[in-house]
């Protein structure tokens, strides 16, 4: 809701209803002035303010975004390029590169030796999709997956690229994907945040992640992503400190709410209501969070399915399991970040370690959602912020090489509701350097996900500093061929 | 494309310049209206002594009235060259318009210092000229309005008793179109096609104003077509001019309705195409035509009652949407919604514009059979119902069976049994049924054979056996039965992963 609207709402309600002594006439007048109030119903104090609804009936009710931070190499995982084998070690032809921008890390190289994947590819499923041997588990679920091999982005370095994917702008400060969805759709479970973030690390020294990636930006602060940690204390400062019991916490919150209401009457700042809503949410979360994240009753074979690391809190596998638990409770947007894909050197060895901890839990999550009937209205997204170059960064040997950042083409996959299953969309050229067919820009991808959630990306706007903002800025087209 | 470019060139159409200026007529024409009325008001005010205004001021206003009226006449003539107006009305409009200009000039001339003094009896002519100009202004303006909007536009909505007093016939045409109650029984032309044409096309294609010599106000005229020939070819929807024009880019000169006017929705175009594809019959009902899966949801949105038939027809394009998601439903009773909320259920509209509801027990684990009695109060609106992990048993299913528009039903991890499933037969629109973690057996599974719309059933962790499932799959080839992973299957799953792995695995440093 627009802040101006909210103030106007509050004003008309207070003036006409709260302090009215003239009876029905004023109620009629108030509802004439602002008809939506008549049936709005009294919301309990501190309850989340009335939020948006989808523009049209949604195919997708919830999203799990398995963000692979650091940019996984599409050439080792999804985009099979036999041409690179025959051209191994030769220079990337200028007719392919066309002088396009490189990062400072390889721009100074005198040669750009083409590097083929050290790992073999094979075809799977009825659609004969090429998948790398690094992903034995993913290759078993290709029938449920939809690949986009023609993603492209505008940024060439990690921070602007992740920020672009998550907020629609390379500069920091805009609301993130999950915040827009929380703002646009509201919550389907009043006891949990609509937007939850789970973090995991591949190894030390990875590209860092910042809280701005799950920030609400200029949207009301109730829409910001809440980070859940694995382990006994999932949300910082959620539990009562020693000496405070539930009843006294309740009393404290009640008095605090009274003070807030008093203050609100004077300054009419909607953020006061947001803050009250968040205190109440936190209070409810004291019960709902431990309940939701309790994995002690999960049978052993479920842990086995997600892989051995799923028993170790804070790993990608453990977070995949938690993501399922959150989705079961109708959390709208669960954002996982997994670090460790930035393989500029020693790529063949590093990517193997990385895929080992990511492949099995990703596939297990899809299977687990499916058997519980959740994949019917949940969308799972797997992908990084850009791709990697087809030439080696640094020295190319038979066994070892590195790859630099490559924004001009990369692959992601999606699984779940509303999209065609077992399909590959888009193509890159035979060098895997440029897109040959059906490019999908980051804004197109965002528009498509919003469309699946029942929202028109051009109508999901928020007015801030005199202009209306969108997740997709002034761009983005829904990729209709992907829709089921 | 080529065909109709040729056709357009064959007819002698005026040059772009002519029509460019012509289209300014509706704009310019308002200037003399304003100026002349101001002149009249000032003159009246001055004579009654209410306004103090000099003669020269009025003269000046009159001068501009005359100039703008003349320009309006000129542009009006250019516009008329474009054709498509009823000749008789056009002629009267033109002569009256010219009359306005002429009398405005006369009024100015006799009033002005230069000319007025040289005309004998000039001052006697002034008042009659001004009055005539203003009267003609009224009649010409009215005729102009009739030409653009149709002659009954102004009085179309005259309420009683003024209607009878003014001698306007009752609104026959409006009454003639019966609202659609059951889509299957709706007359395709009368109740579906004609209303679309009436709201979007007839404004410019009628008896008075027939752009392109084309009229859509009666069935006969529609069959006859316009200057470019027939507008539809029975059986060939997308090849018909009527549909082609709507599908052209809006910037295209041949696009209809013209840019700026309210456009047809995708659904309306789909309906027109479907009607022509079906041979463009003028007297058939929906049930007598082939209803394919693609048009089904569009038809359903027209009224209550899902369109039947045509289930076996192959649909092209995206997968069909369940008719319950597009049909119009009455607003839910707010009292019933409150009652549901009091049991701890969440009641969420599917979208801003729909009355369809999703009801979820995500935070109401204690929801029980007694409380389920509230559900049928919203039997029209509830399309998605999530009662997984609640305390309900078979008794609640008797209530759920009354939710006739239910499309998705979650019963996972509840105590429902085979006996309860029998009741679900009454749900004709059910597509999604989640039974995982229940004690359903083969016997209960057989009961599902009666669910005609069923698409997916979830059976993980139930007592259903493979042979029984295989048998039902034969009976219901279109239904997907989703099982799940058992302990043995997990062992196999993880083994397969290891087998696929590289021999030189973990050679890390």
């Amino acid at each position: 809701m627009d802040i101006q609207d909210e103030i106007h709402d509050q004003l008309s309600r207070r003036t006409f209803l709260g302090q009215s002594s003239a009876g029905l006439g004023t109620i009629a007048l108030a509802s004439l002035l602002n008809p939506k109030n008549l049936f709005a119903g009294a919301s309990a104090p501190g309850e989340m303010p009335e939020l948006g609804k989808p523009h049209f009936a949604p195919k997708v009710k919830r999203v799990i975004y398995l963000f692979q931070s650091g940019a996984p190499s599409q050439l080792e995982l999804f985009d099979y390029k036999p041409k690179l084998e025959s051209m191994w070690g030769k220079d990337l032809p200028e007719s392919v590169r066309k002088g396009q921008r490189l990062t400072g890390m390889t721009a100074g190289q005198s040669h750009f030796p083409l590097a083929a994947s050290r790992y073999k590819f094979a075809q799977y499923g009825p659609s004969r999709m090429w998948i790398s041997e690094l992903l034995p588990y993913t290759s078993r679920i290709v029938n449920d997956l939809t690949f986009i091999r023609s993603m492209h982005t505008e940024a060439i370095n990690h921070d602007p690229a992740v920020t672009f994917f998550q907020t629609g702008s390379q500069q920091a400060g805009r609301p993130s994907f999950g915040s827009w969805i929380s703002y646009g759709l509201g919550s389907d479970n009043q006891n949990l945040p609509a937007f939850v973030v789970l973090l995991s690390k591949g190894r030390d020294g990875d590209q860092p992640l910042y809280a701005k990636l799950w920030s609400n930006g200029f949207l009301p602060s109730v829409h910001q992503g809440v980070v859940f940690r694995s382990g006994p204390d999932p949300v910082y400062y959620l539990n009562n400190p020693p000496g405070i019991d539930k009843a006294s916490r309740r009393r404290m919150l009640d008095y605090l709410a009274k003070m807030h209401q008093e203050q609100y009457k004077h300054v009419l700042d909607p953020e006061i209501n947001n803050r009250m809503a968040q205190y109440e949410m936190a209070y409810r979360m004291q019960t709902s969070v431990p309940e939701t994240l309790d994995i002690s009753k999960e049978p052993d074979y479920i842990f086995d399915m997600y892989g051995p690391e799923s028993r170790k809190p804070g790993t990608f596998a453990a977070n995949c399991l938690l993501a399922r638990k959150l989705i079961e409770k109708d959390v709208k947007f669960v954002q996982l970040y997994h670090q460790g894909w930035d393989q500029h050197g020693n790529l063949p060895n590093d990517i193997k370690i990385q895929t080992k901890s990511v492949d099995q839990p990703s596939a297990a999550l899809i299977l687990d959602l499916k058997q519980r009937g959740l994949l019917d209205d949940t969308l799972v997204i797997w992908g990084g912020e850009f791709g990697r170059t087809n030439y080696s960064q640094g020295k190319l040997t038979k066994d070892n090489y590195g790859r630099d950042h490559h924004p001009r083409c990369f692959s992601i996959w999606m699984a779940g509701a509303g999209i065609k299953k077992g399909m590959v969309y888009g193509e890159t050229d035979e060098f895997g350097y440029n897109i040959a067919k059906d490019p999908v820009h980051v804004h197109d991808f965002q528009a498509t996900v919003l469309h699946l959630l029942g929202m028109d990306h051009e109508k999901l706007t928020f007015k801030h500093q005199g202009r209306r903002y969108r997740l997709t800025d002034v761009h983005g087209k829904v990729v209709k061929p992907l829709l089921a | 494309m080529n065909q109709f470019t040729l056709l357009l060139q064959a007819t002698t159409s005026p040059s772009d310049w002519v029509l460019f200026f012509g289209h300014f007529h509706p704009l310019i024409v308002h200037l003399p209206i304003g100026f002349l009325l101001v002149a009249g008001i000032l003159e009246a005010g001055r004579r009654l002594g209410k306004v103090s205004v000099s003669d020269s001021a009025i003269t000046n206003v009159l001068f501009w009235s005359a100039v703008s009226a003349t320009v309006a006449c000129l542009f009006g003539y250019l516009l008329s060259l474009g054709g498509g107006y009823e000749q008789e009305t056009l002629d009267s409009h033109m002569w009256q318009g010219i009359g306005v200009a002429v009398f405005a000039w006369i009024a100015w001339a006799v009033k002005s210092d230069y000319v007025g003094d040289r005309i004998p009896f000039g001052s006697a002519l002034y008042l009659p000229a001004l009055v005539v100009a203003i009267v003609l202004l009224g009649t010409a303006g009215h005729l102009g309005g009739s030409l653009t909007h149709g002659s009954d536009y102004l009085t179309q909505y005259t309420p009683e008793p003024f209607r009878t007093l003014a001698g306007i016939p009752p609104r026959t045409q409006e009454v003639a179109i019966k609202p659609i109650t059951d889509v299957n029984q709706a007359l395709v032309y009368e109740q579906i096609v004609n209303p679309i044409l009436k709201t979007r096309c007839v404004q410019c294609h009628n008896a008075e104003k027939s752009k392109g010599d084309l009229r859509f106000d009666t069935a006969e005229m529609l069959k006859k077509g316009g200057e470019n020939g027939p507008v539809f070819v029975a059986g060939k929807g997308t090849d018909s001019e009527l549909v082609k024009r709507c599908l052209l880019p809006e910037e295209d000169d041949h696009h209809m309705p013209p840019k700026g006017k309210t456009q047809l929705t995708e659904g309306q175009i789909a309906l027109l195409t479907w009607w022509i594809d079906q041979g463009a019959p003028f007297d058939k009902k929906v049930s007598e035509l082939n209803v394919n899966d693609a048009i089904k949801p569009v038809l359903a949105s027209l009224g209550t009652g899902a369109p039947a038939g045509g289930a076996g027809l192959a649909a092209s394009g995206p997968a069909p949407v369940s008719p319950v998601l597009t049909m119009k439903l009455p607003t839910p009773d707010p009292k019933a919604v409150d009652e549901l909320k009091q049991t701890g259920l969440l009641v969420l509209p599917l979208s801003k514009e729909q009355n369809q509801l999703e009801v979820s027990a995500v935070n109401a684990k204690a929801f029980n059979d007694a409380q389920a009695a509230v559900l049928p109060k919203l039997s029209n609106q509830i399309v998605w119902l999530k009662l997984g992990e609640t305390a309900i048993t078979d008794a609640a299913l008797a209530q759920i069976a009354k939710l006739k528009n239910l499309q998705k039903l979650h019963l996972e991890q509840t105590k429902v049994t085979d006996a309860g499933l029998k009741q679900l037969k009454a749900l004709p629109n059910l597509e999604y049924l989640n039974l995982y973690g229940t004690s359903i057996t083969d016997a209960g599974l057989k009961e599902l054979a009666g669910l005609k719309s069923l698409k997916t059933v979830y059976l993980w962790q139930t007592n259903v056996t493979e042979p029984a499932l295989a048998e039902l799959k034969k009976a219901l080839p279109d239904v997907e039965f989703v099982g799940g992973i058992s302990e043995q299957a997990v062992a196999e799953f993880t083994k397969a992963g290891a087998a696929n792995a590289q021999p030189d695995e973990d050679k890390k440093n």
Side-chain angles (χ1 to χ4, degrees), chain A residues 39 52-59 61-62 118-120 124 133-137 139-141 184 187-192 291 299 301-302 304-307 327-330 346 349 352-353 356 360 363-364 367-377 454 480 483-484, chain B residues 266 317-319 321 325 334 341 344-354 358 360 362-363 365 384 386 389 408 410 412-413 432 434 436 456 458-461 480 482-487 489-490 492-498 500-509:
Chain A
F39 296 107
K53 305 272 177 295
H55 300 126
F56 43 87
K59 290 267 167 54
K61 292 286 293 178
R62 303 163 227 98
R118 218 191 80 185
Y119 297 98
K120 295 189 199 76
Y124 298 90
E133 62 183 344
L134 285 171
L135 303 169
Y137 290 94
S139 62
R140 291 178 56 122
I141 55 157
S187 170
D188 289 351
N189 181 345
Q190 68 276 40
N191 293 349
L192 287 170
E291 227 175 66
Y301 71 93
I302 293 291
D304 292 344
M305 189 163 110
Y306 283 86
I327 288 299
E328 281 186 295
K329 288 292 168 199
D330 281 340
N346 198 24
N349 300 315
K352 188 160 184 185
I353 301 165
K356 195 154 187 285
Q360 186 179 354
L367 289 177
D368 204 10
L369 291 173
K370 195 176 177 185
Q371 66 192 357
R372 286 165 210 270
L374 291 164
L375 205 57
D376 180 77
D377 54 0
K480 293 217 166 132
L483 307 179
Chain B
E266 273 180 38
V321 182
L325 296 184
K341 282 183 178 168
L345 294 177
L346 283 174
V347 184
L348 309 156
L350 240 54
S351 77
K352 273 179 185 155
E353 265 117 48
Q354 288 172 298
E358 174 183 12
S360 157
V362 67
N363 290 322
K365 282 192 172 177
W384 296 346
K386 300 182 74 169
E389 281 189 84
K408 290 187 188 182
H410 286 257
E412 67 271 17
Q413 318 260 50
Y432 171 106
N434 197 334
Y436 107 74
T456 331
Y458 294 87
L459 295 170
W460 184 46
Q461 294 180 344
E480 188 190 0
V482 183
I485 213 153
S486 61
E487 290 187 60
V490 167
E492 199 193 316
F493 178 68
T494 49
K495 214 192 300 166
N500 261 13
Q502 279 285 97
D504 63 340
E505 189 171 21
D506 288 342
K507 208 167 65 185
K508 66 175 188 183
N509 26 0

